[in-house]
Amino acid sequence: MTLDDIKAAVDAGQTVHWANTGYVVHKDRLGQYLITYQPNGSCIGLTDREGHRLNGKEAEFFIARLKDGAENLGNQSRPVGQGRGVAPGRAGAFPLGRQL
């Protein structure tokens, strides 16, 4: 996928992966395209600082497929209880100042 293909797919709500399904490309609230390693939340920009060169090979990016082989056209929201600040099997994190 080219840089423009990746951005268009992310903007359309498709789930784009890099290298394997552990890495997901997304757009943050500042409009930056990032690659996040889902197991630990580590993240890198989709491109170099100038925004011209991908941090990965074009051939390594792909759109997630559903079990029946169709493309994932849904949004990228996380399953309930899987958002940031929620530990697996635990209630949501407390805001700073309210920690027990």
Side-chain angles (χ1 to χ4, degrees):
M1 297 179 74
T2 66
L3 176 58
D4 289 337
D5 293 339
I6 295 166
K7 287 181 176 182
V10 170
D11 291 344
Q14 294 177 311
T15 302
V16 178
H17 295 282
W18 169 62
N20 64 58
T21 57
Y23 293 94
V24 176
V25 180
H26 63 94
K27 187 174 180 180
D28 70 6
R29 64 180 178 211
L30 300 175
Q32 304 172 106
Y33 292 88
L34 306 169
I35 303 169
T36 299
Y37 184 59
Q38 295 297 301
N40 67 13
S42 177
C43 168
I44 186 172
L46 177 60
T47 64
D48 62 4
R49 290 181 188 247
E50 289 78 32
H52 302 288
R53 189 173 47 107
L54 281 171
N55 282 325
K57 297 177 184 174
E58 287 183 355
E60 296 174 329
F61 291 89
F62 61 96
I63 295 173
R65 304 277 179 185
L66 299 176
K67 289 181 183 178
D68 65 1
E71 291 181 2
N72 176 6
L73 300 176
N75 65 31
Q76 294 182 14
S77 62
R78 298 170 191 239
V80 174
Q82 298 278 327
R84 295 187 193 277
V86 177
R90 308 228 181 196
F94 295 104
L96 291 177
R98 290 191 54 211
Q99 301 214 3
L100 303 175

